[in-house]
Amino acid sequence: MLFRSIFASTLLITLAVINTFGSNLVIKSENAFNFGKMTLLLIFIGVGFAMPMEWDRMSVSTYAPPIEILAGAMIIFLNYEGFELIANAAPDVKNPKRTLPIAYIGGVLIVIVLYVLISMVVLGHLNLSEVEAHSDYALSFAAHTFMGPAGFIVTFAALLATSSAINATYYG
């Protein structure tokens, strides 16, 4: 517990310091965080698809009722609210009229593709009751089922994603 508190405090202070040195350092740190988490997620996806999966779990007959799908879509929509932080960088962008639309559209498209691929990997390796039983860490649990101890990379990707979100929020 003490280690977790020290780690979190150190991370928050470090990100605050990064933000005091200006946008160039924030951009470099965001690029590092995003490169790291994207690389780890792509490894998760690649290994997940390379291992035997239960493809029948993704058939239409297994879909949730429409109201539950709508509720899930609303939760995912809330995850997309982070894209509003892109606008905070507008004053520091060289050509915002060109760059910001590319950032928004490209970012959303990349996230959609990643969400679908990650969902396929999770459902290909876990049944719905396992996903529900491990809902707080389903991605990590799925990674451990087909990657063993190397599934820890998902936990590290989550730390990078959290750091990136905090850093972007500080910048905003």
Side-chain angles (χ1 to χ4, degrees):
M1 185 69 165
L2 177 63
F3 173 76
R4 189 181 321 161
S5 297
I6 291 171
F7 178 76
S9 297
T10 302
L11 179 64
L12 291 171
I13 291 167
T14 302
L15 293 173
V17 169
I18 286 172
N19 274 265
T20 62
F21 287 107
S23 62
N24 285 337
L25 190 54
V26 173
I27 290 167
K28 287 179 183 176
S29 63
E30 280 298 300
N31 287 340
F33 290 141
N34 290 327
F35 179 79
K37 72 182 172 191
M38 293 294 287
T39 300
L40 295 174
L41 288 174
L42 290 173
I43 291 170
F44 169 82
I45 291 167
V47 173
F49 276 112
M51 303 302 279
M53 291 180 28
E54 297 288 333
W55 290 96
D56 58 326
R57 292 183 186 153
M58 290 168 254
S59 70
V60 176
S61 64
T62 65
Y63 288 4
I67 193 72
E68 290 180 23
I69 292 174
L70 182 60
M74 288 190 289
I75 290 170
I76 290 172
F77 173 77
L78 292 175
N79 291 330
Y80 279 79
E81 284 191 29
F83 284 101
E84 67 194 28
L85 295 173
I86 293 172
N88 294 335
D92 299 319
V93 174
K94 289 182 182 171
N95 185 358
K97 289 186 186 244
R98 178 184 175 278
T99 306
L100 291 180
I102 292 171
Y104 277 115
I105 294 167
V108 168
L109 291 176
I110 289 169
V111 169
I112 289 170
V113 169
L114 284 175
Y115 272 33
V116 169
L117 293 175
I118 289 169
S119 297
M120 289 174 71
V121 169
V122 169
L123 291 175
H125 292 280
L126 301 178
N127 61 44
L128 291 177
S129 62
E130 289 173 310
V131 171
E132 187 175 350
H134 305 283
S135 62
D136 290 341
Y137 53 96
L139 191 62
S140 179
F141 186 75
H144 284 281
T145 63
F146 62 85
M147 295 177 80
F152 178 79
I153 67 166
V154 172
T155 303
F156 193 66
L159 287 171
L160 290 172
T162 302
S163 298
S164 174
I166 293 168
N167 198 33
T169 302
Y170 274 170
Y171 180 72

